Amino acid sequence: MIVLDLEIFTRKMNSVIRRYRTIYDLLEFLAISLIILLIAVFFNLDEIFKLIPLTEPYVGLSPDIPFFTVNYETIFLFFIVCLISLLILELVDRNRKRIYKAVKKTAPQRRNTQDVVEETYPELKDRLKTAYDNRDSDNFIAVELTRSVSSDVEGVSSTDLLDKKRLAYSLGAIVAACLFLGLIFFTGFTAPVSPGDILDKFPNGSLTQPPIIEENTSSNNSSSIPTEAPPIANAPGVDIDITLPPGAGMGPGDMLEGSENNFTPSKPYPPESLSSQHFYDNLPAGYQDIIKDYFEKVAENS
Protein backbone atom coordinates (compact mmCIF):
# COMPACT_ATOMS: atom_id res chain seq x y z
CA MET A 1 0.00 0.00 0.00
CA ILE A 2 2.87 2.34 0.82
CA VAL A 3 4.61 1.57 -2.48
CA LEU A 4 1.36 2.19 -4.32
CA ASP A 5 1.00 5.56 -2.62
CA LEU A 6 4.46 6.68 -3.76
CA GLU A 7 3.79 5.57 -7.34
CA ILE A 8 0.45 7.35 -7.43
CA PHE A 9 2.02 10.47 -5.94
CA THR A 10 4.87 10.42 -8.47
CA ARG A 11 2.51 10.01 -11.45
CA LYS A 12 0.28 12.80 -10.16
CA MET A 13 3.17 15.21 -9.62
CA ASN A 14 4.64 14.28 -12.99
CA SER A 15 1.36 15.20 -14.69
CA VAL A 16 1.18 18.49 -12.77
CA ILE A 17 4.74 19.46 -13.70
CA ARG A 18 4.16 18.64 -17.38
CA ARG A 19 1.07 20.83 -17.32
CA TYR A 20 3.02 23.66 -15.71
CA ARG A 21 5.78 23.37 -18.31
CA THR A 22 3.18 23.63 -21.06
CA ILE A 23 1.86 26.80 -19.44
CA TYR A 24 5.39 28.22 -19.25
CA ASP A 25 5.99 27.50 -22.94
CA LEU A 26 2.68 29.07 -23.99
CA LEU A 27 3.26 32.19 -21.93
CA GLU A 28 6.80 32.58 -23.25
CA PHE A 29 5.56 32.10 -26.81
CA LEU A 30 2.88 34.73 -26.23
CA ALA A 31 5.36 37.15 -24.66
CA ILE A 32 7.85 36.82 -27.52
CA SER A 33 5.07 37.14 -30.11
CA LEU A 34 3.70 40.32 -28.53
CA ILE A 35 7.16 41.87 -28.32
CA ILE A 36 7.85 41.09 -31.99
CA LEU A 37 4.38 42.39 -32.91
CA LEU A 38 5.06 45.58 -30.96
CA ILE A 39 8.30 46.13 -32.90
CA ALA A 40 6.56 45.40 -36.22
CA VAL A 41 3.68 47.79 -35.52
CA PHE A 42 5.93 50.56 -34.23
CA PHE A 43 8.14 50.46 -37.33
CA ASN A 44 5.17 50.03 -39.75
CA LEU A 45 6.45 46.71 -41.01
CA ASP A 46 2.97 45.76 -42.20
CA GLU A 47 3.53 48.09 -45.18
CA ILE A 48 6.12 45.67 -46.51
CA PHE A 49 3.28 43.61 -47.98
CA LYS A 50 2.63 46.47 -50.43
CA LEU A 51 6.09 45.86 -51.86
CA ILE A 52 5.68 42.09 -52.34
CA PRO A 53 4.00 41.19 -55.66
CA LEU A 54 2.41 38.08 -54.14
CA THR A 55 0.63 39.94 -51.32
CA GLU A 56 0.18 43.39 -52.87
CA PRO A 57 -3.27 42.61 -54.41
CA TYR A 58 -4.64 41.71 -50.96
CA VAL A 59 -3.49 44.86 -49.17
CA GLY A 60 -6.46 46.82 -47.83
CA LEU A 61 -8.89 43.93 -48.31
CA SER A 62 -10.37 41.62 -45.69
CA PRO A 63 -11.82 38.11 -45.83
CA ASP A 64 -15.53 37.50 -45.41
CA ILE A 65 -15.71 36.62 -41.72
CA PRO A 66 -19.08 37.15 -39.98
CA PHE A 67 -19.05 39.69 -37.12
CA PHE A 68 -15.31 40.19 -37.50
CA THR A 69 -13.24 42.36 -39.82
CA VAL A 70 -9.50 42.03 -40.20
CA ASN A 71 -7.26 43.00 -43.10
CA TYR A 72 -5.19 40.46 -44.96
CA GLU A 73 -1.96 42.27 -44.09
CA THR A 74 -2.79 41.84 -40.40
CA ILE A 75 -3.29 38.11 -40.95
CA PHE A 76 -0.01 37.84 -42.87
CA LEU A 77 1.82 39.75 -40.14
CA PHE A 78 0.29 37.52 -37.44
CA PHE A 79 1.50 34.34 -39.13
CA ILE A 80 4.99 35.76 -39.67
CA VAL A 81 5.20 36.83 -36.02
CA CYS A 82 4.14 33.37 -34.85
CA LEU A 83 6.68 31.71 -37.13
CA ILE A 84 9.50 33.92 -35.87
CA SER A 85 8.49 33.29 -32.24
CA LEU A 86 8.52 29.53 -32.71
CA LEU A 87 11.90 29.77 -34.41
CA ILE A 88 13.32 31.82 -31.52
CA LEU A 89 12.01 29.36 -28.91
CA GLU A 90 13.47 26.44 -30.83
CA LEU A 91 16.86 28.12 -31.24
CA VAL A 92 16.97 29.08 -27.55
CA ASP A 93 16.08 25.54 -26.48
CA ARG A 94 18.75 24.00 -28.69
CA ASN A 95 21.44 26.51 -27.73
CA ARG A 96 20.57 26.89 -24.07
CA LYS A 97 24.00 25.71 -22.92
CA ARG A 98 25.80 28.09 -25.29
CA ILE A 99 23.68 31.02 -24.12
CA TYR A 100 24.42 30.33 -20.44
CA LYS A 101 28.08 29.82 -21.28
CA ALA A 102 28.19 33.22 -23.02
CA VAL A 103 27.01 34.91 -19.81
CA LYS A 104 29.34 32.70 -17.75
CA LYS A 105 26.63 30.78 -15.97
CA THR A 106 25.93 27.09 -15.62
CA ALA A 107 22.93 25.91 -17.58
CA PRO A 108 20.26 24.31 -15.37
CA GLN A 109 19.76 20.61 -15.89
CA ARG A 110 16.45 19.12 -16.91
CA ARG A 111 14.84 18.18 -13.62
CA ASN A 112 12.54 15.25 -13.06
CA THR A 113 9.56 15.11 -10.74
CA GLN A 114 11.49 14.06 -7.64
CA ASP A 115 14.01 16.89 -8.12
CA VAL A 116 11.27 19.51 -8.34
CA VAL A 117 9.48 18.19 -5.25
CA GLU A 118 12.69 17.91 -3.23
CA GLU A 119 13.74 21.43 -4.21
CA THR A 120 10.38 22.80 -3.13
CA TYR A 121 10.30 20.75 0.12
CA PRO A 122 13.82 20.59 1.61
CA GLU A 123 12.72 18.02 4.22
CA LEU A 124 12.33 15.52 1.39
CA LYS A 125 15.83 16.19 0.03
CA ASP A 126 17.32 12.89 -1.21
CA ARG A 127 14.70 10.96 0.74
CA LEU A 128 12.01 10.90 -1.94
CA LYS A 129 14.30 9.62 -4.69
CA THR A 130 15.87 7.03 -2.41
CA ALA A 131 12.50 5.77 -1.21
CA TYR A 132 11.12 5.64 -4.74
CA ASP A 133 14.15 3.80 -6.10
CA ASN A 134 13.97 1.22 -3.27
CA ARG A 135 10.19 0.85 -3.20
CA ASP A 136 10.44 -2.87 -4.07
CA SER A 137 13.11 -3.62 -1.48
CA ASP A 138 12.30 -5.79 1.56
CA ASN A 139 15.06 -4.20 3.61
CA PHE A 140 13.82 -2.90 6.95
CA ILE A 141 15.54 0.47 6.50
CA ALA A 142 14.10 0.90 3.01
CA VAL A 143 10.62 -0.03 4.23
CA GLU A 144 10.78 2.46 7.11
CA LEU A 145 12.11 5.18 4.79
CA THR A 146 9.33 4.52 2.32
CA ARG A 147 6.75 4.66 5.12
CA SER A 148 8.16 7.94 6.43
CA VAL A 149 8.33 9.58 2.99
CA SER A 150 4.83 8.40 2.14
CA SER A 151 3.58 10.16 5.24
CA ASP A 152 5.45 13.38 4.42
CA VAL A 153 4.23 13.67 0.80
CA GLU A 154 0.65 13.93 2.01
CA GLY A 155 1.35 17.60 2.77
CA VAL A 156 2.74 18.36 -0.67
CA SER A 157 0.59 20.85 -2.62
CA SER A 158 0.75 20.95 -6.40
CA THR A 159 0.53 24.76 -6.44
CA ASP A 160 3.82 24.94 -4.55
CA LEU A 161 5.55 23.34 -7.52
CA LEU A 162 4.73 26.30 -9.75
CA ASP A 163 7.80 28.29 -10.83
CA LYS A 164 6.51 31.69 -9.77
CA LYS A 165 9.60 33.60 -10.91
CA ARG A 166 9.44 32.22 -14.45
CA LEU A 167 5.71 32.85 -14.53
CA ALA A 168 6.15 36.43 -13.33
CA TYR A 169 8.71 37.23 -16.02
CA SER A 170 6.41 35.98 -18.80
CA LEU A 171 3.31 37.74 -17.44
CA GLY A 172 5.25 40.97 -16.93
CA ALA A 173 6.48 40.94 -20.55
CA ILE A 174 2.95 40.22 -21.80
CA VAL A 175 1.40 43.05 -19.80
CA ALA A 176 4.08 45.55 -20.85
CA ALA A 177 3.76 44.61 -24.53
CA CYS A 178 -0.04 44.89 -24.37
CA LEU A 179 0.17 48.33 -22.76
CA PHE A 180 2.52 49.65 -25.43
CA LEU A 181 0.39 48.13 -28.21
CA GLY A 182 -2.71 49.76 -26.76
CA LEU A 183 -0.89 53.08 -26.61
CA ILE A 184 0.07 52.79 -30.28
CA PHE A 185 -3.43 51.80 -31.39
CA PHE A 186 -5.13 54.62 -29.48
CA THR A 187 -2.63 57.39 -30.22
CA GLY A 188 -1.33 56.25 -33.61
CA PHE A 189 2.23 57.02 -32.51
CA THR A 190 4.68 55.06 -34.65
CA ALA A 191 8.17 55.53 -36.01
CA PRO A 192 8.48 58.09 -38.84
CA VAL A 193 9.99 55.48 -41.15
CA SER A 194 8.54 52.57 -43.07
CA PRO A 195 9.93 49.84 -45.37
CA GLY A 196 8.83 51.86 -48.38
CA ASP A 197 10.81 54.90 -47.25
CA ILE A 198 13.93 52.80 -46.77
CA LEU A 199 13.49 51.14 -50.17
CA ASP A 200 13.06 54.50 -51.88
CA LYS A 201 16.58 55.42 -50.87
CA PHE A 202 17.91 52.69 -53.17
CA PRO A 203 17.03 53.09 -56.89
CA ASN A 204 15.44 50.00 -58.39
CA GLY A 205 15.59 48.34 -54.99
CA SER A 206 19.39 47.91 -55.18
CA LEU A 207 22.28 49.47 -53.31
CA THR A 208 24.14 50.50 -56.46
CA GLN A 209 22.82 53.13 -58.84
CA PRO A 210 22.91 52.19 -62.53
CA PRO A 211 25.12 54.39 -64.71
CA ILE A 212 23.35 57.34 -66.33
CA ILE A 213 24.21 58.09 -69.92
CA GLU A 214 24.16 61.85 -70.34
CA GLU A 215 23.26 63.28 -73.69
CA ASN A 216 25.84 65.73 -74.93
CA THR A 217 24.30 68.36 -77.20
CA SER A 218 27.58 70.14 -77.95
CA SER A 219 29.28 70.20 -81.31
CA ASN A 220 31.52 67.30 -80.25
CA ASN A 221 28.65 64.92 -80.99
CA SER A 222 28.53 65.90 -84.63
CA SER A 223 30.86 63.04 -85.51
CA SER A 224 28.28 60.51 -84.38
CA ILE A 225 25.64 61.84 -86.79
CA PRO A 226 25.66 59.84 -90.02
CA THR A 227 26.60 61.89 -93.10
CA GLU A 228 25.72 59.28 -95.68
CA ALA A 229 22.30 58.08 -96.78
CA PRO A 230 21.37 54.67 -95.44
CA PRO A 231 21.67 51.90 -98.03
CA ILE A 232 18.55 50.69 -99.77
CA ALA A 233 17.74 47.07 -99.01
CA ASN A 234 17.75 45.00 -102.17
CA ALA A 235 16.96 41.32 -102.61
CA PRO A 236 19.30 39.39 -104.93
CA GLY A 237 17.96 39.15 -108.47
CA VAL A 238 15.26 41.79 -108.00
CA ASP A 239 15.50 45.21 -109.68
CA ILE A 240 14.12 48.16 -107.75
CA ASP A 241 12.88 51.24 -109.57
CA ILE A 242 14.05 54.26 -107.67
CA THR A 243 12.94 56.92 -110.21
CA LEU A 244 10.50 59.52 -108.95
CA PRO A 245 7.03 59.73 -110.54
CA PRO A 246 6.01 62.88 -112.44
CA GLY A 247 4.81 65.71 -110.24
CA ALA A 248 6.53 64.44 -107.14
CA GLY A 249 8.21 67.81 -106.55
CA MET A 250 4.98 69.78 -106.52
CA GLY A 251 2.69 70.39 -103.55
CA PRO A 252 -1.07 69.80 -103.67
CA GLY A 253 -1.83 73.46 -104.24
CA ASP A 254 0.60 73.76 -107.13
CA MET A 255 -0.80 70.65 -108.83
CA LEU A 256 -4.34 72.02 -108.68
CA GLU A 257 -3.33 75.38 -110.10
CA GLY A 258 -1.20 73.74 -112.82
CA SER A 259 1.92 75.72 -111.99
CA GLU A 260 5.26 74.22 -112.76
CA ASN A 261 7.91 73.74 -110.09
CA ASN A 262 11.41 72.57 -110.70
CA PHE A 263 12.19 69.34 -108.88
CA THR A 264 14.94 69.69 -106.32
CA PRO A 265 16.52 66.38 -105.40
CA SER A 266 16.64 65.69 -101.69
CA LYS A 267 19.90 65.56 -99.85
CA PRO A 268 20.81 62.99 -97.24
CA TYR A 269 19.80 64.32 -93.82
CA PRO A 270 20.50 62.80 -90.48
CA PRO A 271 17.48 61.01 -89.00
CA GLU A 272 17.44 63.43 -86.04
CA SER A 273 16.56 66.37 -88.30
CA LEU A 274 13.55 64.56 -89.84
CA SER A 275 12.07 63.22 -86.58
CA SER A 276 9.68 64.83 -84.18
CA GLN A 277 11.43 66.78 -81.45
CA HIS A 278 8.68 65.71 -79.03
CA PHE A 279 9.74 62.08 -79.56
CA TYR A 280 13.33 62.82 -78.63
CA ASP A 281 12.26 64.89 -75.65
CA ASN A 282 10.49 61.82 -74.23
CA LEU A 283 13.17 59.37 -75.33
CA PRO A 284 15.46 58.31 -72.46
CA ALA A 285 19.01 59.52 -72.67
CA GLY A 286 21.41 57.18 -74.39
CA TYR A 287 18.86 55.30 -76.47
CA GLN A 288 19.35 57.18 -79.75
CA ASP A 289 22.56 55.37 -80.63
CA ILE A 290 21.01 52.02 -79.64
CA ILE A 291 18.01 52.54 -81.93
CA LYS A 292 20.24 53.74 -84.79
CA ASP A 293 22.51 50.68 -84.49
CA TYR A 294 19.48 48.38 -84.44
CA PHE A 295 18.06 49.68 -87.72
CA GLU A 296 21.49 49.67 -89.36
CA LYS A 297 21.91 46.00 -88.50
CA VAL A 298 18.41 45.25 -89.80
CA ALA A 299 19.29 46.94 -93.07
CA GLU A 300 22.57 45.00 -93.36
CA ASN A 301 20.85 41.64 -92.78
CA SER A 302 17.99 42.31 -95.20
Side-chain angles (χ1 to χ4, degrees), residues 245-265:
M250 297 184 296
D254 297 335
M255 295 177 64
L256 293 176
E257 295 175 0
S259 59
E260 295 183 359
N261 290 328
N262 295 327
F263 171 73
T264 303

Side-chain angles (χ1 to χ4, degrees), residues 36-236:
I36 297 176
L37 182 62
L38 174 63
I39 296 173
V41 172
F42 180 75
F43 289 101
N44 305 300
L45 295 183
D46 56 333
E47 296 185 7
I48 198 172
F49 298 110
K50 298 179 181 179
L51 309 176
I52 303 176
L54 185 63
T55 59
E56 191 272 336
Y58 298 95
V59 174
L61 303 178
S62 59
D64 295 333
I65 302 177
F67 311 106
F68 188 72
T69 302
V70 60
N71 294 332
Y72 278 108
E73 55 265 34
T74 304
I75 298 176
F76 297 152
L77 185 62
F78 173 78
F79 280 110
I80 291 178
V81 167
C82 291
L83 183 62
I84 295 176
S85 301
L86 290 174
L87 182 61
I88 291 175
L89 287 176
E90 183 66 21
L91 291 176
V92 170
D93 186 65
R94 290 188 177 184
N95 300 276
R96 188 179 300 272
K97 293 183 179 180
R98 296 180 181 177
I99 295 173
Y100 276 92
K101 186 177 180 180
V103 296
K104 298 181 180 180
K105 290 186 178 181
T106 304
Q109 300 295 328
R110 188 75 172 182
R111 299 176 301 172
N112 54 27
T113 302
Q114 286 86 5
D115 292 331
V116 175
V117 175
E118 289 180 356
E119 183 178 350
T120 307
Y121 294 89
E123 63 272 15
L124 294 174
K125 184 67 174 178
D126 295 330
R127 296 174 63 231
L128 178 60
K129 287 189 292 186
T130 304
Y132 185 80
D133 294 338
N134 296 276
R135 63 188 181 277
D136 296 329
S137 176
D138 295 333
N139 185 279
F140 174 76
I141 298 177
V143 172
E144 288 299 322
L145 177 62
T146 303
R147 189 185 302 275
S148 175
V149 171
S150 178
S151 177
D152 292 338
V153 296
E154 292 180 357
V156 174
S157 175
S158 59
T159 56
D160 294 337
L161 304 179
L162 189 65
D163 191 346
K164 298 180 178 61
K165 183 183 293 187
R166 185 176 179 181
L167 191 65
Y169 288 154
S170 300
L171 290 177
I174 291 172
V175 172
C178 289
L179 290 177
F180 280 107
L181 282 173
L183 180 66
I184 291 175
F185 288 146
F186 281 105
T187 62
F189 176 74
T190 58
V193 296
S194 64
D197 298 332
I198 298 176
L199 192 63
D200 289 340
K201 297 180 181 297
F202 307 107
N204 298 327
S206 61
L207 297 176
T208 58
Q209 184 176 2
I212 299 177
I213 302 175
E214 297 182 356
E215 183 179 3
N216 190 1
T217 56
S218 62
S219 59
N220 296 333
N221 257 355
S222 58
S223 59
S224 62
I225 301 176
T227 57
E228 296 181 359
I232 300 175
N234 186 13

Side-chain angles (χ1 to χ4, degrees), residues 225-226 267-277 280:
I225 301 176
K267 298 181 181 179
Y269 291 94
E272 290 82 357
S273 62
L274 301 178
S275 304
S276 172
Q277 184 62 33
Y280 284 97

